Amino acid sequence: TLLAQLCLPRFDLVKMDVEGAEGTIFAAGGGELQWLNGVSFLYFEAHEGMAPGSEARTLAALLSHNMTVLAAPDERVSDHIYFACGRRSVADALCTATCMQWRASSRALQGMCAAVTDAATAGAAYSSVWRRRVGRRR
């Protein structure tokens, strides 16, 4: 696995901003994604407009590897921002608390951390933020 190749027991934090290639990275499957089992925290931005379907594939891959996935919408950016935690090393409550602490400490990323169970729940979280964003412009 990637962790073994790098002689690491785990990844404490993985930040991914690959501008639309999320779906390609996570489309692998099987043993290619075993490195996810060694991730404590993962931050990524989904760029659905650049690669349709990539956001859903990424969420499905993370959830299938037993990760807690939280949508972390920000009214000021159009990218979908996510925070995820590996359940083998981080309990759900700690994952949510860490996400909320991260959001509170960054003026650029204020908002909530909402649990994601599939692409539809992620879409709902972002739709609600979009409605608030559009409502303020009127």
Side-chain angles (χ1 to χ4, degrees):
T1 68
L2 181 59
L3 285 168
Q5 290 173 357
L6 296 173
C7 300
L8 295 171
R10 72 178 184 284
F11 292 119
D12 290 327
L13 173 66
V14 175
K15 179 187 184 290
M16 291 182 58
D17 186 3
V18 292
E19 302 300 322
E22 305 85 15
T24 303
I25 292 168
F26 289 106
E32 295 294 318
L33 295 177
Q34 288 303 317
W35 63 272
L36 285 172
N37 295 329
V39 172
S40 296
F41 299 100
L42 172 72
Y43 164 93
F44 73 98
E45 298 172 9
H47 302 276
E48 184 67 17
M50 294 179 171
S54 66
E55 186 170 2
R57 282 193 303 277
T58 301
L59 294 172
L62 296 175
L63 293 166
S64 73
H65 278 80
N66 200 30
M67 295 191 81
T68 301
V69 180
L70 303 169
D74 186 325
E75 297 174 350
R76 292 167 279 189
V77 297
S78 60
D79 298 337
H80 288 184
I81 300 169
Y82 292 94
F83 188 81
C85 304
R87 288 191 174 128
R88 293 179 183 184
S89 56
V90 181
D92 288 351
L94 178 58
C95 184
T96 302
T98 303
C99 182
M100 294 298 286
Q101 180 63 38
W102 160 63
R103 301 294 294 211
S105 67
S106 174
R107 292 185 329 150
L109 295 171
Q110 297 172 0
M112 63 177 185
C113 296
V116 171
T117 56
D118 55 29
T121 58
Y126 283 99
S127 291
S128 110
V129 168
W130 183 253
R131 283 192 299 273
R132 283 197 315 260
R133 183 181 194 184
V134 171
R136 283 190 187 155
R137 291 182 182 165
R138 293 181 183 169

